Amino acid sequence: MPSAAGRGQGPERDRRPESGEQPDYAKERYGVSSMIQSQEKPDRVLVRIKDLTEEKADEVVWVRGRIHTSRAKGKQCFLVLRQQQFNIQALVAVGQHASKQMVKFAANINKESIVDVEGVVRKAHQKIGGCTQQDVELHVQKIYVISLAEPRLPLQLDDAVRPEVEGEEDGRATVNQDTRLDNRVIDLRTSTSQAVFCLQSGICQLFRETLIRKGFVEIQTPKIISAASEGGANVFTVSYFKSSAYLAQSPQLYKQMCICADFEKVFCVGPVFRAEDSNTHRHLTEFVGLDIEMAFNYHYHEVVDEIADTMVQIFKGLQERFQTEIQTVNKQFPCEPFKFLEPTLRLEYREGVAMLREAGVEMGDEDDLSTPNEKLLGRLVKEKYDTDFYILDKYPLAVRPFYTMPDPVNPKNSNSYDMFMRGEEILSGAQRIHDPQLLTERAQHHGIDLEKIKAYIDSFRFGAPPHAGGGIGLERVTMLYLGLHNVRQTSMFPRDPKRLTP
Amino acid sequence: MPSAAGRGQGPERDRRPESGEQPDYAKERYGVSSMIQSQEKPDRVLVRIKDLTEEKADEVVWVRGRIHTSRAKGKQCFLVLRQQQFNIQALVAVGQHASKQMVKFAANINKESIVDVEGVVRKAHQKIGGCTQQDVELHVQKIYVISLAEPRLPLQLDDAVRPEVEGEEDGRATVNQDTRLDNRVIDLRTSTSQAVFCLQSGICQLFRETLIRKGFVEIQTPKIISAASEGGANVFTVSYFKSSAYLAQSPQLYKQMCICADFEKVFCVGPVFRAEDSNTHRHLTEFVGLDIEMAFNYHYHEVVDEIADTMVQIFKGLQERFQTEIQTVNKQFPCEPFKFLEPTLRLEYREGVAMLREAGVEMGDEDDLSTPNEKLLGRLVKEKYDTDFYILDKYPLAVRPFYTMPDPVNPKNSNSYDMFMRGEEILSGAQRIHDPQLLTERAQHHGIDLEKIKAYIDSFRFGAPPHAGGGIGLERVTMLYLGLHNVRQTSMFPRDPKRLTP
């Protein structure tokens, strides 16, 4: 239990400043608590800052929060106490409860320290601009430091949430990406980071909620694998006892095995590893894959429709449940609300190519889309159809992996698709070949060593239902939904060729 | 669309047996369909086998299922069609719809092949013993092979679900574990496997549902890390571009960083890697960790209570939603229903030691529990308190990791706990040291190189709330809840020192 210095049972660390000559009538009302080591189970209730509203006016409450800012002014000290995305102004003023020494103590607590405060909730005379709790302030009667922060912070939270444009126009400080990532524990405390990752948690939740409602089963697939399934490029090697192994580039093979094992509709959420030396705004060496695989009856569009509807349910759920978080992020990174159609717009690849050609792009029928052309097409689609989310269907067979089912009518095409948000790819998928003979032929056509994919092909020898699926990149969905510009903003601890820490 | 041979648009593969001399009046009613390549979108509805009940009597339905067994008998062929955990008897008999050739064709379809069948649902004259749909059978009018299985199966599904005791007593075939795992795609089709992994999906769902309701946020933590945090033993090495890295042994550090970053209550579900050369019934080199970390106000029991309640919610949810699956597994692996108390029983370590000593075990106050003693204690607790789930609290400090908070009263004890199901550990957790100074002292005491854990210790320098947490092994929970005997039964694609495939 936090208490005035001298009462605690743990190691004593009274950092109280010298109190000078005057007797301190408030000396029991402030101090540095002994470390909370679970000494006691007090029945004190700590109230959440977000619950401090006018309804609580004149109540005495206990609050735990961080010192966000402090400003001493004569016999008063104004603190802003922060708790996640919420904050409130607290006033320590010389008077009945607080001595001069206590005000000085409060003013000297390092920013980001965690404190327990007892105070009276008072209606504010005017709206308090800088705080989320604008209508009330807290008149402090007791204040104890629970965990002291070091005096010098590697970055200032207020700088870290400043819109770049303000930094550029007014010459005010902003924080660069490497400083943020090097000091992620502090950067993640900003209202923007809190909002981004609460929303990301929501994406996972909505993804799974929707699929479980649709009858899907969650599976867990191994990340250490014995053979690099897709040719062996871009794969990390692991030393495995006296031998070696690889990190899975996708759960593809295992999802398909589950389909062959009659689970019918499966999904998984887990890390995916790519040893690509790409230093772009949208590549990570480790990211979170939201993967789906599903047996269908007669046409892979049954699966495309399910995936597209799952995305729509995610978008709707975010709108409904995460409006606060979206607005918080928008304050720092202004962005148009995300638009989508229901049902989702599905264009054929050749239609996309035609739109690009009309806009002046020269490309062949079987060329893959470059990143700039993807973005351009996204803008053209937005203009024409007013949607930030659409499906591009029937990719040329030549640009897809060997296990992609060819189109039954035009053998140059395939039953495959990508999905896009704000002009960037977030999902790639296809009907997979479920016939071992055709699969063998296509692997040979791609020059793949059949011996290496024997176990994969053998999975289809004992009756395999037609099936399709796809993999979604979680960090990309978060980034593009919020209109952010770098996938490192939506990965808590990003991994790229140059970053392995923290 | 599946159709009689000759109509499909895809590659033609008519494996229909020679029809002999007689004209075949049913020749359009059976055959091998061309491969489903998404040629068409027919409006045919496929009915689920589990929905074929007396209410559907005399309706004509289409069903897709696997040939589970087939038995020809004169002019009739009895098939059992299987779909996941459900199956139904189907009869092909010479008559108006089926010719002699059609019956022969049906009888010759390899087991495990997938077929589309049109048939009339008929009330059975007597209960059909071997099937889940006991009150009806299907009178087949059309039958087309959708995906043909090879004739020789590496294992028989009926053998794979036979209780071991029957195998031993009657000399009937059972399937050993390596054969199962080598042919996992088939082994996972058994009713037992289907039930085990549907229930496991349910555990994940209940875990997250409960925690999200309690205000937790889901986080994603990196699996590739730059330093082996807990001393460097039992860690897999990854080659990372021109340098090397490690696979995370737990999300511990990252969960704690999220707490220091004010997320307050976090959980994650993901793979955990242990390079231990242990070949036991309960060790895997890669398993799924259900991890929790939570800031608390004054006492780590706030966290213990939340975790214990989460486990109770899982147990209750499984009882309510997965009764069918539990019964299916029990048929092969008979087991007492899982018992638990509410609130959960919490014993102190010294009480556990006293119970063991009373039962004749010799051990010191600060000795760790051996596996046999854990199991014995589980039995003693079950006898005395009638619960299969309990918490052992306040472990000796000496047997816990360096970051464990010492007990405030007895410095030989710690604020740490394990949780047990049926006498085996499924969770290990503790209050963590949130003070950088004490953490440094404890690391030094353990002889840990401070340079290697600098980033970890630095995370606590800018204000850290008191917190506690724990990690749960998903495969163990599934195994112990169902009373199974090997963690390889509850990992779809288990990894151990000797197994990396499939």
Side-chain angles (χ1 to χ4, degrees), chain A residues 444-456:
Chain A
Q444 281 172 325
H445 177 84
H446 278 253
I448 291 168
D449 183 351
L450 290 180
E451 206 39 54
K452 286 197 177 149
I453 57 166
K454 184 174 180 301
Y456 178 62

Side-chain angles (χ1 to χ4, degrees), chain B residues 240-251:
Chain B
Y240 197 77
F241 301 100
K242 283 166 187 165
S243 130
S244 71
Y246 304 96
L247 290 182
Q249 289 166 292
S250 87

Side-chain angles (χ1 to χ4, degrees), chain B residues 353-363 373 376 380:
Chain B
V353 171
M355 286 171 76
L356 283 170
R357 283 179 184 152
E358 204 167 301
V361 173
E362 287 179 25
M363 65 179 289
N373 283 347
L376 172 57
L380 297 173

Side-chain angles (χ1 to χ4, degrees), chain A residues 253-263 454-465, chain B residues 66 82 112 114 153-155 157 178-190 193-194 492-494 499 501-502:
Chain A
L253 162 60
Y254 295 96
K255 287 191 301 178
Q256 289 192 260
M257 285 174 79
C258 288
I259 296 301
C260 294
D262 292 347
F263 285 95
K454 184 174 180 301
Y456 178 62
I457 295 180
D458 286 349
S459 304
F460 303 98
R461 295 198 188 281
F462 304 100
Chain B
R66 287 191 191 269
R82 191 186 78 237
E112 292 301 304
I114 298 171
L153 295 172
L155 60 89
L157 271 80
D178 275 330
T179 305
R180 288 178 189 279
L181 295 179
D182 288 341
N183 301 284
R184 197 61 157 159
V185 166
I186 298 173
D187 185 49
L188 287 175
R189 291 178 193 168
T190 64
S193 294
Q194 292 281 318
M492 271 194 171
F493 304 101
R499 179 174 289 280
T501 55

Side-chain angles (χ1 to χ4, degrees), chain B residues 94-349:
Chain B
V94 174
Q96 187 193 343
H97 296 290
S99 60
K100 213 172 115 186
Q101 293 91 332
M102 178 168 156
V103 174
K104 192 177 164 195
F105 172 82
N108 283 332
I109 302 171
N110 296 332
K111 277 201 284 186
E112 292 301 304
S113 297
I114 298 171
V115 293
D116 273 7
V117 164
E118 185 197 66
V120 187
V121 181
R122 296 288 187 206
K123 265 192 189 169
H125 298 299
Q126 54 188 53
K127 294 261 182 197
I128 299 166
C131 291
T132 58
Q133 309 314 102
Q134 306 205 323
D135 302 320
V136 289
E137 61 180 10
L138 202 59
H139 289 212
V140 176
Q141 300 180 342
K142 293 179 183 168
I143 183 165
Y144 305 106
V145 174
I146 294 301
S147 176
L148 193 67
E150 294 200 348
R152 203 174 276 275
L153 295 172
L155 60 89
Q156 302 299 319
L157 271 80
D158 285 340
D159 297 343
V161 295
R162 186 162 292 131
E164 272 166 50
V165 62
E166 279 185 29
E168 282 163 19
E169 285 172 8
D170 311 346
R172 297 171 78 184
T174 55
V175 182
N176 76 39
Q177 187 173 270
D178 275 330
T179 305
R180 288 178 189 279
L181 295 179
D182 288 341
N183 301 284
R184 197 61 157 159
V185 166
I186 298 173
D187 185 49
L188 287 175
R189 291 178 193 168
T190 64
S191 51
T192 305
S193 294
Q194 292 281 318
V196 165
F197 291 102
C198 286
L199 183 130
Q200 185 167 77
S201 172
I203 292 173
C204 292
Q205 186 191 344
L206 288 159
F207 176 77
R208 289 182 305 237
E209 245 180 53
T210 306
L211 291 172
I212 284 170
R213 202 169 53 233
K214 289 173 185 287
F216 280 71
V217 171
E218 180 175 6
I219 58 169
Q220 307 291 339
T221 68
K223 305 308 163 196
I224 304 182
I225 56 173
S226 62
S229 53
E230 293 180 36
N234 299 335
V235 67
F236 289 113
T237 309
V238 185
S239 56
Y240 197 77
F241 301 100
K242 283 166 187 165
S243 130
S244 71
Y246 304 96
L247 290 182
Q249 289 166 292
S250 87
Q252 174 82 17
L253 163 60
Y254 295 96
K255 287 190 302 179
Q256 290 192 259
M257 287 175 76
C258 289
I259 296 301
C260 295
D262 292 345
F263 285 94
E264 294 190 0
K265 298 172 170 190
V266 299
F267 72 89
C268 55
V269 177
V272 164
F273 306 93
R274 304 275 164 93
E276 268 178 276
D277 199 358
S278 303
N279 294 281
T280 77
H281 78 287
R282 62 176 190 168
H283 285 91
L284 294 170
T285 53
E286 177 181 345
F287 63 89
V288 176
L290 308 177
D291 268 273
I292 291 176
E293 202 73 26
M294 177 181 150
F296 62 81
N297 294 337
Y298 300 110
H299 201 291
Y300 75 96
H301 282 172
E302 299 165 31
V303 181
V304 175
D305 291 346
E306 285 285 52
I307 300 176
D309 181 61
T310 301
M311 293 307 300
V312 166
Q313 297 311 319
I314 292 173
F315 302 147
K316 284 179 160 180
L318 292 178
Q319 270 180 351
E320 283 162 21
R321 304 186 202 168
F322 292 88
Q323 211 41 252
T324 309
E325 282 74 11
I326 293 167
Q327 284 166 14
T328 299
V329 177
N330 279 177
K331 273 183 212 158
Q332 182 170 6
F333 299 101
C335 175
E336 294 288 304
F338 189 84
K339 287 197 167 177
F340 57 95
L341 303 175
E342 213 181 340
T344 301
L345 173 67
R346 189 177 68 225
L347 297 175
E348 293 213 350
Y349 194 81

Side-chain angles (χ1 to χ4, degrees), chain A residues 122-142:
Chain A
R122 296 286 187 208
K123 264 192 190 173
H125 298 300
Q126 54 187 52
K127 294 261 182 199
I128 299 166
C131 290
T132 57
Q133 310 312 104
Q134 307 203 322
D135 302 320
V136 289
E137 59 180 12
L138 201 59
H139 289 212
V140 176
Q141 301 181 341
K142 293 179 183 167

